Amino acid sequence: MSDIPQLLLDSLSPQTRKKAEHSLEAYSRQPAFVLHLLRLILDATQNTAVRLAASVYLKNTVKLGWLQDDEYPISVSDKEALKPQLVPAMIALSGTNEKLIRAQIAESVSLIAELDFPERWPDLIDQLVQSLSSNDFNVNLGVLETAHSIFRSWRSQARSDAFWSIIKLVHSKFLPPYFRLFELTISRLLPSPDRLLAQTMAVLMELFYDLTCQDLAPEFEDGHEIFFAAETGYFMRLLEWNPSELQTDPEEPTPSIPSKIRTGVLEIAELYVKLYPEMLARSQSVGTFVKKVWELVGGGKRLGIAYDQLVSQSLRFISTSIRSGAYRDIFQSRDTIQGLIAGVVVPNLSLRTHDVEGFEDTPLEYIRGELQVSEVSTPRQAAADVVNALVGVGQESEIATTAVAFEWISRALTGAAQGGEDAWKNKDAAVYLFEAVATRSGTLTQGVTATNPNVDIVQWFAENIYRDLQVGAGGVHPVLQVDAIRYLYTFRYQLTKEQLVSVLPLLSSRLESHDVVVYTYAAVALDRILSMRVGGSTTLMFSSTDVQPFALQLLNILFTKIEAQSSPERVAENDFLMRCVTRVILTAKQGLGEGYVNVLQRLVSILRVIARNPSNPNFDQYIFESISALIRFIGAAVPDSITVFEPALFPPFTEILQGDIDQYIPYVFQILAQMLTLHRGVPADYRALLPFLLTPTIWAQKGSIPGLVALLRAFLARDAAAMVEANQHTSVLGIVQQRLVPSKANDGWGFELLQSVILHVPLNTLQPYFRQIIVTLLTRMQQNKTNSYVYYFVYFLLYMLAVNVNGLTPDYLIQTVDEIQPGLWSQIVSNFVVPQAALLTVKDRKVAAVGLTRLLTQSNLSLKEPNMKAWPVLLDQLVVLFREPKAFAAAEDAGTGVTDIDLEEQAVGYQAAYSKLAAAATPPPDLVAYVGNVRSYVAGQFTRLLGTEPDVKTLVEQADQSQLRPFLSSLGVSG
């Protein structure tokens, strides 16, 4: 392993990265690799870049290999050797120049703690506590950062009994030393400002939030006054603490440490307003907090950008306090509302020089900041949120807030009308304030969902917005054009379809702007408008007919903007544009039939450029989604269009596979499967690819597995005979048994592939392997059972019982299982099939019902001991499947419509799990279509059975008659 330092350096260079990563991956499977990495990290004689790269690689190795069912798990001996060394490593990395390395080790500790603490790492908290020092605050800082990396996940964790046990354990061990260190730190910090002590206090504030975000330990309740007392509490003193020695340039974006501490205090205060208002009432501290916030940001102040986090959090505290409804006496009067809007809101609404520079110099970052609605992150957004809170808290407040806000809006519009250099800034502030006061509630996917009844959205648009959207380049400041577009985007659900249709051409024209923010915002608005639903339903408001007249023009403009960039990274930089491309294709559907060839060519051209250096997973997701959507809709509408798609796509796909561009390979397999399904047979180009698909190495990339499974299933459905002739079906079985079924992450894909094998490969060909298939499935059940695996296993058994495969009868399956061990089938039915049947989802119930019916009515072995004991219980489970009135509607309708494709909430990213192409998904086929109507089929089978096997009536009588008799009666079966 002596060459690992050089390999780590090589992994940082695009030219040598791929080769170095392959070598490092090979080393990572050797014993003691993680321990060797840790020694490298701690070796101060090594290059800093090597140590940092090693710390990142250690973290990633832990993330991908700590669980035993991971692809390449770290050995138990290596894990047990690594854990005791991590906290001492954190302490050894306490130097100020080792902060980045220390952060990676802290993340490794956090990842391991999430899985092993406390059961398999019981002394972790003891190690942390014992490492705290009364003198060495470099060590303390490292320990506290590690603790924060472990506990911060509590902020979003769901409550459970097991989680409460962990919290109580941590509180019992960590809180006493934590309180002592807090007291020691503040006692030294306030009289004598020191950077290291201030950094320690900042992390102590983060930990206070971590340790109280779920529930208050008695220690926090007992010490509440120490922290929250209205005049003398630690938090009030820290809010006033801003020593000149630690202040930074107010016009630089990095906040000072005192500013971070004060922000942390207000985050905790906001948390208490939400979760523990009775504690704040006990100390009567909310009024004092409001007073402190006013001193910080009120009275018309406009602080520098270094204070943005502090200002935003101050205003979030105000908004949360207003929304809580517990402090109406503070916020409900018109004078207070007037003071808040005049002294806090209006000063923070207008754009600063820094904001305008961001608009011009870093446009995409500016847009992402504007669209970041999951949390209020800028002073401007926080100021608007204060207005939203005042509007939403009650009718009286809403009326007063509207009146006060409109006074300021009118004043700003008058100033804008008078002209001058800053006239556009006045109007921008007016628009932003109007949007805030007009909004009651909203969501990410729908924009504003409820508006203030005291304002007229459409009239204000006509009087103040429409012209800015209409004028050409140079006729109005770009910021005002963005305001106009944002207005449409925000209030889209308050406008009728006709009104939206009338402004779509204007949005299209704004796509041609030379300003990045303007044309990108136009793309965002078009995407969201075209994805609108009718009345909260799943029906899209805009159809192919609506967009067909201008769809190709839109795509041409979007492609031109993307293609104008100079490098692969710049081409892929603006994912908003490619997302809009995807949306236009999804909406236009078959309406692109006349121009799809050019659309495909341009997509392929862009793909070949960005493949030289993949850099933006969002852009990549959308370009492959666009290609997939084009194939989906044009392939179904234009005869022989596959002869256009394949020649265009095979060359870049071959380059991707040969170049081992692992970010793109999962997409390629999905689209190849999609194209293969458009053929009746298997063309030679696809058949030549099959040996490559069956090599073990291609299955090592987890993200590729779903696409590979889809591709092999397409091969089996079209050319199983040729695969059998080439003995390739045995390779498929090997993949299922050796790589997919044993893996918790991939067992579901293994069952899907196995179902296709059962359906398409003749049973006489499978017979030599059938018993071993069952053994493999049962071995996994015995050694590494999970709830999802039990579900897959039971469904697979019912699937084999249900499908119409020559020779695959219920008795064949029972006999095969009982050959493994006599009476084994009876045990499987009792222990797994019976308990699981009632849990089957609606989409799986038709197969289950048919499988159970065939087992009950077409199996001689089921009517003999020991299987006969389970017969009445299985009948009860069949009745359970029919309990829902529409139990089989979804299955019987499958394939009749187009799969709903929605990008709104789709998460994308390289290898996070599986980058699914929504457009490549197909409605699942009806695997038991031969039965027709399920109820009629069941009725017929039971009528036949009761007529030919009169002894079965004894078994029928042992079932639950209160459920069975109404069921049989509903089927018209007399029994």
Side-chain angles (χ1 to χ4, degrees):
M1 296 186 182
S2 59
D3 58 338
I4 286 180
Q6 186 58 50
L7 290 172
L8 289 167
L9 281 178
D10 290 346
S11 72
L12 304 177
S13 169
Q15 290 74 28
T16 54
R17 178 179 63 85
K18 184 71 71 176
K19 184 178 179 181
E21 286 179 347
H22 281 307
S23 299
L24 287 168
E25 185 177 344
Y27 273 131
S28 70
R29 299 170 196 170
Q30 295 186 17
F33 174 72
V34 290
L35 302 173
H36 185 81
L37 282 180
L38 188 60
R39 285 194 292 273
L40 266 182
I41 293 165
L42 296 173
D43 185 355
T45 65
Q46 289 286 347
N47 184 311
T48 301
V50 169
R51 298 173 68 199
L52 181 57
S55 68
V56 173
Y57 208 91
L58 174 63
K59 177 193 70 177
N60 291 335
T61 303
V62 165
K63 180 185 287 188
L64 297 175
W66 200 259
L67 293 174
Q68 283 308 110
D69 62 324
D70 284 332
E71 195 72 31
Y72 299 106
I74 302 168
S75 70
V76 173
S77 59
D78 280 359
K79 290 195 290 187
E80 293 307 309
L82 178 66
K83 283 188 288 191
Q85 299 183 44
L86 287 173
V87 173
M90 287 291 300
I91 296 169
L93 295 167
S94 297
T96 55
N97 60 336
E98 295 172 315
K99 182 177 180 180
L100 294 177
I101 300 173
R102 188 170 71 233
Q104 297 299 321
I105 301 299
E107 190 65 28
S108 298
V109 172
S110 174
L111 289 167
I112 297 170
E114 186 177 349
L115 298 171
D116 282 14
F117 176 74
E119 289 85 0
R120 292 179 298 279
W121 201 356
D123 61 342
L124 171 59
I125 303 301
D126 296 323
Q127 274 190 291
L128 291 173
V129 167
Q130 290 163 10
S131 303
L132 291 171
S133 166
S134 60
N135 297 310
D136 193 338
F137 275 80
N138 278 310
V139 169
N140 289 341
L141 184 59
V143 171
L144 294 175
E145 287 174 344
T146 305
H148 175 50
S149 73
I150 298 168
F151 304 150
R152 70 183 171 204
S153 64
W154 293 7
R155 301 185 181 199
S156 58
Q157 197 159 335
R159 299 187 177 191
S160 67
D161 291 342
F163 182 34
W164 283 120
S165 300
I166 294 173
I167 290 176
K168 289 179 180 178
L169 175 65
V170 170
H171 281 172
S172 67
K173 294 187 174 186
F174 192 77
L175 286 186
Y178 170 81
F179 286 128
R180 288 195 296 271
L181 184 59
F182 199 111
E183 184 176 358
L184 175 65
T185 305
I186 200 168
S187 67
R188 295 185 181 182
L189 178 65
L190 293 182
S192 179
D194 173 83
R195 185 173 183 80
L196 179 58
L197 287 172
Q199 289 174 325
T200 304
M201 179 54 69
V203 184
L204 285 167
M205 300 304 302
E206 296 279 12
L207 280 165
F208 194 104
Y209 193 110
D210 297 338
L211 295 165
T212 57
C213 65
Q214 290 284 345
D215 195 16
L216 280 187
E219 292 88 341
F220 282 107
E221 293 189 21
D222 295 342
H224 180 77
E225 290 296 321
I226 297 173
F227 290 93
F228 283 91
E231 298 299 333
T232 59
Y234 288 161
F235 290 158
M236 300 306 172
R237 294 166 68 188
L238 287 170
L239 279 177
E240 297 173 347
W241 183 76
N242 189 27
S244 58
E245 302 95 315
L246 297 178
Q247 290 179 16
T248 56
D249 185 345
E251 295 309 319
E252 289 296 323
T254 303
S256 67
I257 302 175
S259 183
K260 289 181 180 179
I261 292 170
R262 293 192 290 174
T263 301
V265 169
L266 291 169
E267 286 176 345
I268 294 166
E270 183 189 10
L271 176 73
Y272 268 63
V273 168
K274 291 177 179 177
L275 300 184
Y276 318 115
E278 71 284 354
M279 296 300 296
L280 292 179
R282 194 172 86 183
S283 58
Q284 298 183 338
S285 49
V286 169
T288 307
F289 273 120
V290 171
K291 178 183 175 183
K292 299 295 183 186
V293 165
W294 186 261
E295 292 172 357
L296 284 172
V297 301
K301 295 188 186 76
R302 191 69 191 270
L303 301 178
I305 60 174
Y307 294 95
D308 275 7
Q309 291 180 16
L310 177 59
V311 172
S312 298
Q313 182 54 51
S314 298
L315 299 183
R316 276 198 295 270
F317 169 76
I318 294 293
S319 299
T320 300
S321 299
I322 293 170
R323 288 192 175 99
S324 75
Y327 310 105
R328 291 181 182 274
D329 56 324
I330 299 177
F331 298 110
Q332 70 179 355
S333 73
R334 183 184 174 97
D335 288 344
T336 301
I337 293 171
Q338 177 76 48
L340 281 172
I341 291 178
V344 174
V345 172
V346 171
N348 285 292
L349 282 182
S350 59
L351 291 173
R352 301 165 295 184
T353 302
H354 169 76
D355 301 318
V356 177
E357 289 173 351
F359 185 100
E360 296 169 349
D361 300 337
T362 54
L364 293 178
E365 185 178 330
Y366 177 90
I367 292 167
R368 290 191 175 96
E370 284 278 295
L371 296 176
Q372 183 68 36
V373 297
S374 59
E375 68 174 48
V376 177
S377 56
T378 68
R380 194 180 202 206
Q381 291 170 335
D385 193 50
V386 170
V387 178
N388 290 156
L390 289 168
V391 167
V393 77
Q395 185 177 16
E396 184 179 338
S397 175
E398 182 177 65
I399 293 171
T401 303
T402 304
V404 173
F406 264 84
E407 291 174 8
W408 284 94
I409 290 169
S410 177
R411 198 175 307 169
L413 290 176
T414 300
Q418 291 173 352
E421 186 177 346
D422 290 338
W424 67 268
K425 288 186 178 180
N426 287 323
K427 184 166 185 182
D428 168 71
V431 174
Y432 210 88
L433 182 53
F434 178 86
E435 290 176 1
V437 80
T439 301
R440 268 190 178 176
S441 62
T443 67
L444 174 62
T445 56
Q446 293 188 330
V448 172
T449 54
T451 59
N452 181 344
N454 302 292
V455 301
D456 188 326
I457 304 293
V458 176
Q459 181 181 346
W460 210 82
F461 173 78
E463 293 175 354
N464 299 287
I465 300 290
Y466 183 74
R467 181 186 172 280
D468 294 340
L469 188 65
Q470 191 179 34
V471 297
V476 67
H477 196 283
V479 168
L480 295 183
Q481 287 211 320
V482 170
D483 287 341
I485 297 167
R486 189 186 63 242
Y487 191 98
L488 286 175
Y489 161 82
T490 301
F491 295 113
R492 60 191 181 275
Y493 272 96
Q494 281 64 55
L495 302 176
T496 65
K497 180 178 179 179
E498 291 71 24
Q499 289 168 333
L500 289 167
V501 167
S502 71
V503 297
L504 285 178
L506 294 176
L507 283 176
S508 302
S509 66
R510 296 291 73 79
L511 279 177
E512 298 188 84
S513 169
H514 297 297
D515 189 281
V516 178
V517 181
V518 172
Y519 69 67
T520 302
Y521 240 114
V524 170
L526 281 165
D527 167 40
R528 293 304 172 91
I529 288 172
L530 292 180
S531 66
M532 290 172 66
R533 311 286 167 150
V534 177
S537 69
T538 58
T539 304
L540 289 167
M541 181 179 292
F542 291 91
S543 67
S544 173
T545 305
D546 293 321
V547 300
Q548 186 175 3
F550 54 86
L552 288 172
Q553 179 189 359
L554 272 181
L555 291 172
N556 177 60
I557 298 169
L558 290 163
F559 286 140
T560 301
K561 291 294 183 185
I562 294 168
E563 293 162 346
Q565 304 306 317
S566 56
S567 66
E569 298 82 3
R570 291 297 303 277
V571 168
E573 184 179 33
N574 196 332
D575 49 89
F576 298 108
L577 297 180
M578 186 52 71
R579 179 182 168 114
C580 190
V581 167
T582 306
R583 180 64 64 193
V584 172
I585 294 173
L586 291 175
T587 307
K589 296 183 174 69
Q590 294 87 349
L592 294 175
E594 293 185 3
Y596 81 93
V597 175
N598 178 260
V599 174
L600 176 65
Q601 289 171 345
R602 296 181 81 170
L603 285 168
V604 169
S605 174
I606 293 168
L607 176 61
R608 296 188 106 151
V609 171
I610 64 174
R612 297 204 299 264
N613 186 21
S615 57
N616 184 348
N618 286 1
F619 189 96
D620 299 336
Q621 177 81 30
Y622 298 137
I623 190 171
F624 281 104
E625 196 74 75
S626 297
I627 294 169
S628 178
L630 206 59
I631 294 169
R632 180 188 185 115
F633 298 119
I634 300 303
V638 180
D640 298 324
S641 59
I642 191 64
T643 60
V644 175
F645 284 113
E646 288 173 341
L649 292 171
F650 277 169
F653 283 6
T654 301
E655 293 165 10
I656 288 167
L657 293 173
Q658 291 178 344
D660 193 22
I661 304 175
D662 51 8
Q663 301 96 326
Y664 290 179
I665 289 174
Y667 298 121
V668 167
F669 289 143
Q670 291 175 75
I671 292 177
L672 286 173
Q674 188 182 7
M675 290 195 294
L676 182 53
T677 59
L678 295 175
H679 291 279
R680 291 182 180 273
V682 177
D685 287 340
Y686 289 90
R687 190 172 285 117
L689 182 64
L690 189 52
F692 169 71
L693 301 178
L694 296 173
T695 56
T697 52
I698 198 66
W699 292 81
Q701 187 181 9
K702 290 181 181 179
S704 295
I705 287 174
L708 283 167
V709 168
L711 193 48
L712 287 185
R713 294 182 73 187
F715 272 105
L716 286 163
R718 283 154 187 79
D719 208 14
M723 293 179 70
V724 169
E725 186 177 346
N727 203 37
Q728 290 169 322
H729 66 294
T730 59
S731 298
V732 175
L733 290 174
I735 290 166
V736 170
Q737 293 175 271
Q738 297 167 26
R739 193 164 282 275
L740 300 182
V741 167
S743 165
K744 285 183 181 178
N746 299 313
D747 49 17
W749 302 113
F751 278 107
E752 280 199 17
L753 186 52
L754 197 51
Q755 288 167 25
S756 289
V757 172
I758 296 294
L759 189 62
H760 299 295
V761 177
L763 187 62
N764 60 351
T765 302
L766 283 179
Q767 191 166 2
Y769 313 100
F770 201 84
R771 183 175 183 274
Q772 187 55 47
I773 291 170
I774 302 298
V775 170
T776 299
L777 300 180
L778 291 172
T779 301
R780 164 68 200 277
M781 178 72 79
Q782 184 178 29
Q783 295 178 351
N784 200 5
K785 179 177 65 176
T786 64
N787 291 337
S788 59
Y789 183 82
V790 173
Y791 186 100
Y792 295 140
F793 176 74
V794 169
Y795 177 78
F796 179 65
L797 293 180
L798 295 170
Y799 167 87
M800 286 196 291
L801 291 167
V803 290
N804 191 20
V805 170
N806 188 34
L808 184 57
T809 64
D811 281 349
Y812 180 90
L813 178 59
I814 295 171
Q815 187 175 345
T816 302
V817 172
D818 281 345
E819 284 175 359
I820 299 170
Q821 178 183 314
L824 182 57
W825 175 258
S826 176
Q827 296 177 42
I828 291 173
V829 168
S830 299
N831 295 330
F832 299 113
V833 177
V834 170
Q836 199 71 34
L839 304 177
L840 291 169
T841 60
V842 170
K843 69 181 179 64
D844 294 334
R845 288 194 171 195
K846 184 176 182 181
V847 167
V850 174
L852 284 177
T853 300
R854 292 186 69 186
L855 179 61
L856 290 166
T857 64
Q858 298 179 22
S859 167
N860 292 323
L861 293 177
S862 288
L863 298 175
K864 297 178 181 179
E865 293 291 357
N867 302 319
M868 189 167 63
K869 293 178 182 177
W871 199 97
V873 184
L874 287 171
L875 181 56
D876 288 338
Q877 296 309 307
L878 178 62
V879 174
V880 168
L881 291 178
F882 280 83
R883 251 178 220 163
E884 286 187 40
K886 297 183 179 179
F888 307 104
E892 290 175 350
D893 292 343
T896 60
V898 176
T899 300
D900 185 32
I901 301 170
D902 195 348
L903 304 177
E904 294 290 358
E905 302 295 340
Q906 183 163 309
V908 294
Y910 296 143
Q911 284 297 98
Y914 161 38
S915 299
K916 178 181 180 180
L917 292 175
T922 56
D926 185 352
L927 300 168
V928 287
Y930 70 91
V931 306
N933 181 275
V934 186
R935 299 181 70 87
S936 299
Y937 175 79
V938 174
Q941 292 300 305
F942 272 93
T943 299
R944 178 192 57 76
L945 178 68
L946 292 169
T948 58
E949 298 283 349
D951 292 344
V952 171
K953 290 184 178 180
T954 305
L955 295 175
V956 171
E957 290 170 358
Q958 295 175 32
D960 182 354
Q961 298 300 305
S962 66
Q963 301 295 324
L964 178 61
R965 289 198 176 279
F967 170 66
L968 292 177
S969 177
S970 71
L971 296 179
V973 176
S974 58

